[in-house]
Amino acid sequence: MSRNRIDRTPFELRINDLSHDGRGVARREEGIHAGKAIFVSGALPGERVMVEQTGKSRHFDEARVLEVLEASKDRVEPPCPHFGTCSGCVLQHLEAGVQIALKQQVLMDNLERIGHVTPKNVLAPLTGKAWGYRRKGRFSVKRVEKKDKTLVGFRETDPRFVADLRECHTVVPELGMKVAALSALVDSLDGRADIPQIEFIAGDQGVALVFRHLNPLSDKDREALAAFGAEHGFIIFLQPGGVTSVHPLQEPAPELSFALPQWNAELAFRPLDFIQVNGDLNQKMIAHALELLDPQANDHVLDLFCGLGNFTLPLARVAGRVTGVEGDAGLVQRARENAQRNGLGNADFHAADLSVELRGQPWLKQPYTKLLLDPPRSGAIEVLKQLPLDGLERIVYVSCHPGSLARDAGWLVNEAGWTLQSAGAMDMFPQTAHVESIALFLPPRRGKQAVTTASSASPRA
């Protein structure tokens, strides 16, 4: 996308649609580019807006809203003062109920367009609190000498720049309302130019901050970090090198964990481990997935991309046996430890790269009755094609990318003969265009027979 030689003279547009990434869509009406698509940040369907062009390519242009001349009935006032500059959230100006309806439509469009499949049932969207939910993320840090200031925040809509945040309304409030204090702290350090990022993760014990630093920190800086943590209740970690170099600033550091009360389980994790970003929705999602999968005491469930055991441990409370498989050996070790700490002897774990040839893997030779998978954005097509699907009674697929889910659903339905029984969106990332979803597949032998209540029930939004 070129930003050079752009005519930035403001002009008026009527917005016709909303793109999958949350931008308004219009067509140029005049001049040599009449009919050309233009994507407008901050605009909603039905609105008349004054815009400034920000980018161009052969097939479409980009612009941002300067003024809303006629507002949509679905427009709301964004609570964050950084909306429009920070790229962390792009839908704050859209009413929450319309946001999730948009995500539901994105999912259905992807299933039809990419997978050529349509679910028999559309599940009611799964929703939770709209603000203060984000418990894991990464702030970029940049010392800007011209401004004599150190910026801490997410990237701007122009990713070359770091947004100068004072607050963040989607991050858990213990941290989100203290971003300005965090920025002031870093700016006060001798090594402020050597800190490129700060990762954060929240457990039941509080918020942990991981300061990546390219050179050793002075004693003065370490004391300042310790004082900041004590004042604000943060658990401070340092990362002088790779992932394995992370260590607490002060010993002993409290163990990080989060509870899943419905399943009498507690999952311990390390500061850079993957956990679901939205803790509230995570618990609803687990309950929803188990309802769809309908595990019984005689089931042996295969949980692929199991991570720390987020689904595995709750499954082990109700299924006869659960086998979890994950590519990250460190996560597998912690999943084993989590099963042990929760007294779950019917869960076993294996480390394996699920995107490559799996022939010879001992866990692949076991018989399973049900499958749950929660892959990364790239999806799960490689492992699906290697699994012995014949013995499975149900597959529940949790997805963080509707395009890869649609591709995999297309293969399961059109090539392997399964039925896409149900699918629906889950609002794991409110205020953003990110689409999380869940789908239930039934095997060929079930045909069009009636499905149990668990497979067709819709959760309350």
Side-chain angles (χ1 to χ4, degrees):
M1 178 63 63
S2 173
R3 292 183 172 84
N4 299 322
R5 299 182 300 279
I6 292 175
D7 182 358
R8 297 189 179 274
T9 304
F11 60 98
E12 187 178 311
L13 282 175
R14 174 70 70 174
I15 306 301
N16 303 314
D17 202 354
L18 201 66
S19 70
H20 288 181
D21 62 1
R23 294 183 292 176
V25 184
R27 295 279 176 182
R28 287 188 177 272
E29 298 177 356
E30 301 176 353
I32 61 174
H33 299 298
K36 188 178 184 182
I38 183 165
F39 294 91
V40 185
S41 299
L44 297 174
E47 293 187 330
R48 188 166 63 89
V49 293
M50 189 66 69
V51 307
E52 175 190 57
Q53 186 172 346
T54 58
K56 64 180 180 180
S57 70
R58 176 181 296 181
H59 302 292
F60 63 89
D61 293 336
E62 292 182 329
R64 66 182 182 93
V65 169
L66 296 176
E67 182 182 0
V68 178
L69 304 175
E70 293 178 14
S72 165
K73 63 180 177 57
D74 298 321
R75 177 175 283 274
V76 295
E77 186 65 26
C80 180
H82 307 295
F83 178 74
T85 301
C86 174
S87 66
C89 307
V90 296
L91 293 178
Q92 287 191 28
H93 60 313
L94 183 61
E95 194 273 325
V98 182
Q99 286 186 33
I100 188 60
L102 166 69
K103 295 177 183 184
Q104 187 86 300
Q105 190 58 51
V106 168
L107 172 63
M108 297 304 148
D109 289 348
N110 273 262
L111 288 170
E112 181 177 347
R113 178 174 54 87
I114 298 173
H116 307 293
V117 293
T118 302
K120 290 186 175 295
N121 301 306
V122 177
L123 297 166
L126 200 65
T127 61
K129 59 183 181 180
W131 302 99
Y133 64 84
R134 190 178 185 94
R135 62 178 179 176
K136 179 175 173 59
R138 175 189 296 168
F139 288 136
S140 294
V141 179
K142 186 173 182 61
R143 173 66 186 171
V144 181
E145 294 297 342
K146 290 183 179 180
K147 295 183 178 181
D148 191 26
K149 190 175 185 181
T150 301
L151 309 183
V152 175
F154 298 117
R155 291 284 170 174
E156 290 190 359
T157 50
D158 183 340
R160 295 174 299 172
F161 304 106
V162 176
D164 184 8
L165 298 190
R166 299 187 301 277
E167 59 196 63
C168 179
H169 292 256
T170 56
V171 170
V172 291
E174 301 95 312
L175 174 61
M177 295 300 103
K178 296 178 180 177
V179 181
L182 182 59
S183 178
L185 163 73
V186 178
D187 202 43
S188 72
L189 301 178
D190 296 332
R192 60 192 179 186
D194 295 323
I195 299 175
Q197 66 189 43
I198 303 170
E199 301 222 16
F200 62 89
I201 192 166
D204 294 344
Q205 300 75 16
V207 178
L209 301 178
V210 182
F211 289 78
R212 175 81 171 96
H213 56 98
L214 304 178
N215 289 299
L217 296 177
S218 67
D219 290 342
K220 176 187 171 184
D221 285 354
R222 295 171 68 91
E223 290 171 2
L225 290 171
F228 182 80
E231 179 184 357
H232 296 285
F234 296 132
I235 307 164
I236 306 296
F237 289 83
L238 302 179
Q239 184 187 358
V243 173
T244 58
S245 72
V246 174
H247 62 278
L249 174 64
Q250 295 177 312
E251 296 280 8
E255 181 182 58
L256 299 170
S257 67
F258 64 89
L260 299 173
Q262 186 173 343
W263 300 278
N264 188 28
E266 183 181 34
L267 279 74
F269 59 87
R270 294 185 182 178
L272 297 187
D273 282 348
F274 171 80
I275 62 173
Q276 293 290 350
V277 161
N278 190 325
D280 172 54
L281 201 80
N282 182 50
Q283 299 205 38
K284 294 181 180 181
M285 177 179 69
I286 295 170
H288 189 26
L290 267 62
E291 182 184 27
L292 293 172
L293 196 63
D294 193 26
Q296 303 295 320
N298 60 345
D299 280 324
H300 185 183
V301 180
L302 177 61
D303 178 14
L304 296 181
F305 310 94
C306 68
L308 293 163
N310 189 55
F311 289 105
T312 326
L313 271 59
L315 279 167
R317 291 291 188 207
V318 290
R321 187 179 174 194
V322 187
T323 296
V325 185
E326 162 64 42
D328 186 317
L331 290 178
V332 170
Q333 179 58 36
R334 287 185 281 290
R336 291 190 182 114
E337 294 167 356
N338 281 326
Q340 184 176 10
R341 72 186 289 156
N342 287 277
L344 294 167
N346 61 334
D348 62 285
F349 297 90
H350 302 265
D353 182 348
L354 296 173
S355 65
V356 300
E357 169 65 52
L358 296 169
R359 190 180 311 166
Q361 293 282 343
W363 58 268
L364 192 61
K365 300 175 183 178
Q366 300 180 38
Y368 300 100
T369 54
K370 291 171 182 174
L371 168 66
L372 186 146
L373 60 163
D374 181 12
R377 289 177 59 87
S378 55
I381 192 67
E382 295 87 356
V383 67
L384 281 172
K385 288 182 176 181
Q386 299 182 67
L387 289 176
L389 300 177
D390 291 346
L392 296 176
E393 300 170 8
R394 289 172 183 247
I395 296 174
V396 168
Y397 191 130
V398 176
S399 169
C400 63
H401 190 266
S404 58
L405 170 61
R407 178 204 62 202
D408 296 353
W411 182 85
L412 276 169
V413 172
N414 300 318
E415 300 295 329
W418 283 64
T419 296
L420 177 55
Q421 183 63 30
S422 310
M426 302 185 292
D427 210 6
M428 184 68 74
F429 295 83
Q431 317 310 325
T432 81
H434 180 97
V435 180
E436 194 94 2
S437 56
I438 191 167
L440 168 67
F441 297 87
L442 297 179
R445 64 176 181 273
R446 294 292 294 272
K448 297 183 179 180
Q449 296 175 8
V451 194
T452 66
T453 303
S455 68
S456 56
S458 296
R460 297 190 177 209

